[in-house]
């Protein structure tokens, strides 16, 4: 949010070579819920990293938080795998004093593959409990498999990390949202804290029999233990995609 009625939306753009950069657009919202574009970035906020770096093949915005007068952009950097569709993604961090000009915190990833996340980490969203405690929900890649048709299938779900500052995240393999039978992928968590108490989280998921993403939803009273309530997601596919 920038002001009472304007929000800055960060998004990824792709080149013809499918290499992504991060840009933004400022949207001013009217009382009738319509909006107008009031500003767009003149140049990328963040461009891909150098050859061989963790974000060489593209960067995607995932979460922006304000902390002690500065803006922290948590982004996804990725590399192509040897055999398509294999890929490797990590979580990077860029910092800004004005919300316009961002500089990488490090050329190395903030979070990458680990004992608990052996294949990839991606799409973090952060809930600030206090100035001394934050919770990150992120997508954790746990394996790839090759089907009878010879094609690769990824498997990832949503885990939790914790930190006392924007930089040092501790992981213990705690799963926030796990697979239901037949599911292969659960990704892109986005959570809110309800005014009346408790938390809600939306995410996307894929069932092996459907092969396409659907919207899921989970609820929690403490932000750690989550119960899936996909029937309350509030959005489904259109008739033309059934």
């Amino acid at each position: 949010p920038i002001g009472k009625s304007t929000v800055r939306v960060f998004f990824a753009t792709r080149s013809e070579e499918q290499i992504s950069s991060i840009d933004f657009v400022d949207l001013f919202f009217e009382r009738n819920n319509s909006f107008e574009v009031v500003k767009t970035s003149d140049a990328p906020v963040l461009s891909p990293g150098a050859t061989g770096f963790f974000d060489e093949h593209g960067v995607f915005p995932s979460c922006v938080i304000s902390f002690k007068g500065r803006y922290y952009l948590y982004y996804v950097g990725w590399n192509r795998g040897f055999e398509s569709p294999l890929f490797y993604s990590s979580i990077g961090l860029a910092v800004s004093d004005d919300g316009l000009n961002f500089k990488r915190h490090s050329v190395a990833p903030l979070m990458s593959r680990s004992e608990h996340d052996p294949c990839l980490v991606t799409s973090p969203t952060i809930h600030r409990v206090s100035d001394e405690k934050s919770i990150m929900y992120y997508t954790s890649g746990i394996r790839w498999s090759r089907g009878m048709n010879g094609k690769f299938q990824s498997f990832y779900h949503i885990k939790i990390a914790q930190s006392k500052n924007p930089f040092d995240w501790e992981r213990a393999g705690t799963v926030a949202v796990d697979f239901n039978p037949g599911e292969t992928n659960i990704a892109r968590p986005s959570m809110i804290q309800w005014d009346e108490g408790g938390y809600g989280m939306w995410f996307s998921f894929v069932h092996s029999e459907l092969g396409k993403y659907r919207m899921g939803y989970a609820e929690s009273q403490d932000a750690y233990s989550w119960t899936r309530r996909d029937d309350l997601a509030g959005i489904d596919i259109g008739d033309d995609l059934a």
Side-chain angles (χ1 to χ4, degrees):
I2 49 173
K4 292 183 178 180
S5 302
T6 304
V7 296
R8 178 160 295 152
V9 180
F10 294 88
F11 61 95
T13 60
R14 288 178 183 258
S15 68
E16 292 182 358
E17 293 76 25
Q18 299 299 304
I19 295 178
S20 54
S21 301
I22 297 176
D23 289 85
F24 75 83
V25 58
D26 288 351
L27 305 177
F28 176 79
F29 283 83
E30 307 284 357
R31 290 184 177 180
N32 61 359
N33 289 328
S34 64
F35 64 86
E36 63 174 313
V37 175
V38 294
K39 182 180 178 63
T40 58
S41 49
D42 297 323
V45 171
L46 200 68
S47 298
T51 301
F53 285 49
F54 80 98
D55 49 3
E56 171 188 0
H57 293 134
V59 290
F60 299 85
S62 189
C63 177
V64 180
I65 66 170
S66 175
F67 182 75
K68 296 184 178 181
R70 308 187 80 190
Y71 297 93
Y72 295 81
L73 168 61
Y74 295 84
Y75 69 92
V76 180
W78 75 282
N79 300 106
R80 296 188 180 99
F82 176 73
E83 180 180 352
S84 181
L86 284 173
F87 70 96
Y88 309 100
S89 62
S90 302
I91 296 171
L93 175 63
V95 185
S96 171
D97 291 322
D98 57 9
L100 290 170
N101 301 286
F102 284 84
K103 182 179 180 180
R104 281 176 170 82
H105 168 65
S106 172
V107 295
L110 189 72
M111 286 175 52
S112 57
R113 293 184 290 176
S114 71
E115 176 184 3
H116 305 297
D117 316 299
C119 294
L120 58 87
V121 291
T122 185
S123 59
T125 187
I126 293 170
H127 169 55
R128 285 187 57 207
V129 180
S130 67
D131 283 349
E132 303 300 326
K133 183 178 181 181
S134 294
I135 305 172
M136 175 192 290
Y137 307 95
Y138 67 97
T139 302
S140 166
I142 59 173
R143 71 180 185 276
W144 292 82
S145 68
R146 192 187 293 272
M148 296 295 291
N149 58 5
K151 295 183 178 180
F152 278 113
Q153 172 63 58
S154 58
F155 291 82
Y156 39 79
H157 57 183
I158 298 171
K159 287 192 174 83
I160 293 175
Q162 299 184 77
S163 180
K164 296 180 180 179
N165 58 62
F167 312 105
D168 304 307
W169 294 90
E170 297 179 357
R171 291 175 276 177
T174 304
V175 178
V177 181
D178 207 354
F179 305 104
N180 281 332
E183 292 176 353
T184 57
N185 304 90
I186 305 174
R188 197 59 184 94
S190 181
M191 69 87 70
I192 61 172
Q193 183 174 5
W194 300 113
D195 291 338
E196 60 272 22
Y199 304 84
M201 181 191 295
W202 284 264
F203 51 88
S204 57
F205 70 93
V206 175
H207 192 284
S208 58
E209 293 181 359
L210 299 177
K212 295 180 180 179
Y213 277 103
R214 301 291 193 270
M215 290 299 299
Y217 175 75
E219 293 180 329
S220 174
Q221 291 301 311
D222 60 5
Y224 289 96
S225 299
W226 293 85
T227 301
R228 286 184 66 165
R229 293 292 309 276
D230 294 344
D231 57 306
L232 299 179
I235 185 172
D236 202 352
I237 60 171
D239 295 335
D240 57 332
L241 295 176

